[in-house]
Amino acid sequence: MGDEGEEGILGKAGPPGRPGHAGDAGIKGDMGDIGKMGPLGDKGEMGDPGINGLDGQKGKPGSTCDCGRYRRLIGPLDITLGKLRDAVKFVKHVLLGLRETEERYYFLVKEAKIFQEAAVNCRLRGGILAMPKTLNINQILAEYISQAGLTRVYIGVKAGPDTQNGSSSYMYSDSSPLQVFSGWTEEDGVSSLRINSSCVELLNSGTWVHTECNNSMFFICEFPKSRRRGGVTPMHLS
């Protein structure tokens, strides 16, 4: 037998061996950060009633109440107030024919006047020519006109003072410009303003149309509601 030879080249890795035995459990780590609050759980069952507490001290004797007399006074008052509320509703919606939103009243004045006279008339009544600034209000006013058997009325929209070359910017009666909503059709928009047609009428279809300010027609006034509870119906509507 000869001498031991040199170490050979490292061979390829053999197949994995069998898994070893599980080691002992490690030491418990520190508590982590608190996570987000989870959803509310189901309501639990009602627990058993607790022990009754001690009786409280006896109260002082009360004063004698003549409740029968007060009932006799309050009962008729409630009936009277109910009749008054019904009467107010009847006056507003039947006799005067008012329309209203959460913030304003609208009143159709059946007196034919030119635009300037209509604007003054609304101010004398404590209001202003109606300004349909939203689609909802515009629709309310259009239905108001239709139910009254009319086709068109003046509204508080008029060409501004900067008319040049047959075009102008339009403004409401309170001097605010048209911004979010307008009722023009594509054929009768602001760019189609004609000379002496700087006023606007509202049709019962809800469409705005240019018209001459010297035309006499009916008109709609609007009135702000009082901030006090219950509101106040505008004066001088008749």
Side-chain angles (χ1 to χ4, degrees), residues 1-5:
M1 180 179 296
D3 297 334
E4 183 177 355

Side-chain angles (χ1 to χ4, degrees), residues 80-93 95:
T80 303
L81 287 174
K83 291 180 178 179
L84 286 174
R85 292 190 189 99
D86 293 339
V88 169
K89 290 181 180 179
F90 178 78
V91 170
K92 286 197 306 182
H93 298 287
L95 296 183

Side-chain angles (χ1 to χ4, degrees), residues 134-146:
T134 66
L135 178 60
N136 180 51
I137 295 176
N138 194 74
Q139 187 61 32
I140 290 174
L141 299 183
E143 292 175 357
Y144 193 5
I145 298 168
S146 181

Side-chain angles (χ1 to χ4, degrees), residues 84-140:
L84 286 174
R85 292 190 189 99
D86 293 339
V88 169
K89 290 181 180 179
F90 178 78
V91 170
K92 286 197 306 182
H93 298 287
V94 179
L95 296 183
L96 295 178
L98 288 179
R99 296 295 183 273
E100 61 180 309
T101 61
E102 293 183 359
E103 299 180 351
R104 299 183 183 279
Y105 292 107
Y106 297 92
F107 178 59
L108 174 60
V109 181
K110 295 182 179 180
E111 299 176 17
K113 296 183 181 294
I114 64 174
F115 183 87
Q116 188 60 32
E117 291 175 347
V120 172
N121 188 279
C122 286
R123 291 193 185 96
L124 292 176
R125 295 170 184 270
I128 193 171
L129 272 173
M131 300 175 292
K133 293 186 176 182
T134 66
L135 178 60
N136 180 51
I137 295 176
N138 194 74
Q139 187 61 32
I140 290 174

